[in-house]
Amino acid sequence: VALITGSDSGIGRAIAEAFAKEGADVIITYHSDKESAQKVEKRLKRENVKTALYQLDVSDETSVRQVFNSAHKLFGKIDILVSNAGVNGSNIPVMEMETDTFDKCIKTNLYGTFFCCRQFIQLKKKKLAGAKIIIVSSIHEEVCNPGNADYNASKGGIRNFSKSLALELAAKGVCVNNIAPGMILTPMNQEAMD
């Protein structure tokens, strides 16, 4: 059973489809585009796997707790977490960036990763061995660009969070991986690609 945040589009959708093709039951989450999430669910059902669909705001720890607990109750377990949901950078120089703008990116990308991983680990408790956590970051965890200090900082934080989590959980038999893709044509990157 795999729970994939932000699986209504882009990289998250592709990951959900790949897991379903391998026979995994998939918990699909979306922030606001329910219609796209329903289309993903319809595609996954063709693979004869169980699915569930939840609205999730990863920046809100109450939302994370409720969705994870509900999904865990429905499936009886969650074996794999793919922490993928995120927002793009503001493209605003630091000198002009409002605190709310910085907060939104950090809360979604970095805190969202923390909230989801913590809830997953707490649900697994003593049955951690064999669990998998895959955290999707970005090439911008290493390669920074001007005007996106909010995004670059969030992704750099995710890289070090992932390393720390891997060290904490290795002895318990949990595999933690951080994936940092480069530019991929997704709805979030369409304008930049154009």
Side-chain angles (χ1 to χ4, degrees):
V1 178
L3 189 153
I4 303 156
T5 67
S7 41
D8 57 311
S9 69
I11 293 171
R13 181 186 71 210
I15 291 170
E17 290 171 354
F19 271 110
K21 284 179 183 167
E22 292 295 326
D25 295 330
V26 178
I27 300 156
I28 303 158
T29 72
Y30 67 96
H31 181 267
S32 51
D33 192 351
K34 186 175 184 178
E35 186 177 331
S36 287
Q38 289 170 328
K39 288 178 184 174
V40 172
E41 185 175 37
K42 188 176 181 182
R43 277 195 295 275
L44 299 190
K45 286 189 175 183
R46 291 184 200 138
E47 301 294 336
N48 294 316
V49 298
K50 277 181 64 178
T51 62
L53 183 65
Y54 294 96
Q55 193 282 327
L56 173 63
D57 179 354
V58 296
S59 71
D60 177 352
E61 61 184 309
T62 301
S63 177
V64 169
R65 189 178 310 111
Q66 290 171 343
V67 167
F68 277 63
N69 288 345
S70 180
H72 189 268
K73 186 176 181 181
L74 179 65
F75 286 87
K77 64 178 183 169
I78 303 170
D79 303 300
I80 302 163
L81 167 64
V82 181
S83 180
N84 166 74
V87 295
N88 219 339
S90 62
N91 203 25
I92 299 171
V94 170
M95 183 171 72
E96 300 164 17
M97 192 181 300
E98 298 291 331
T99 302
D100 288 349
T101 301
F102 190 80
D103 278 348
K104 179 184 178 189
C105 194
I106 297 295
K107 282 285 280 187
T108 302
N109 296 352
L110 184 55
Y111 274 68
T113 299
F114 163 65
F115 293 151
C116 291
C117 290
R118 181 181 64 185
Q119 190 63 31
F120 176 71
I121 294 163
Q122 288 176 347
L123 280 172
K124 298 295 288 178
K125 292 182 185 167
K126 294 178 182 176
K127 296 179 183 175
L128 276 167
K132 308 279 187 256
I133 298 174
I134 301 165
I135 300 170
V136 180
S137 178
S138 164
I139 192 173
H140 296 293
E141 68 181 30
E142 290 288 346
V143 180
C144 294
N145 54 340
N148 278 313
D150 50 351
Y151 188 76
N152 299 331
S154 72
K155 296 303 181 174
I158 288 170
R159 177 197 58 210
N160 286 329
F161 175 84
S162 300
K163 288 180 177 181
S164 298
L165 189 62
L167 292 170
E168 286 182 18
L169 297 178
K172 294 178 178 164
V174 179
C175 181
V176 178
N177 284 295
N178 175 41
I179 300 172
M183 181 70 83
I184 295 173
L185 182 56
T186 66
M188 190 166 92
N189 290 329
Q190 185 66 58
E191 187 177 335
M193 294 292 275
D194 290 346

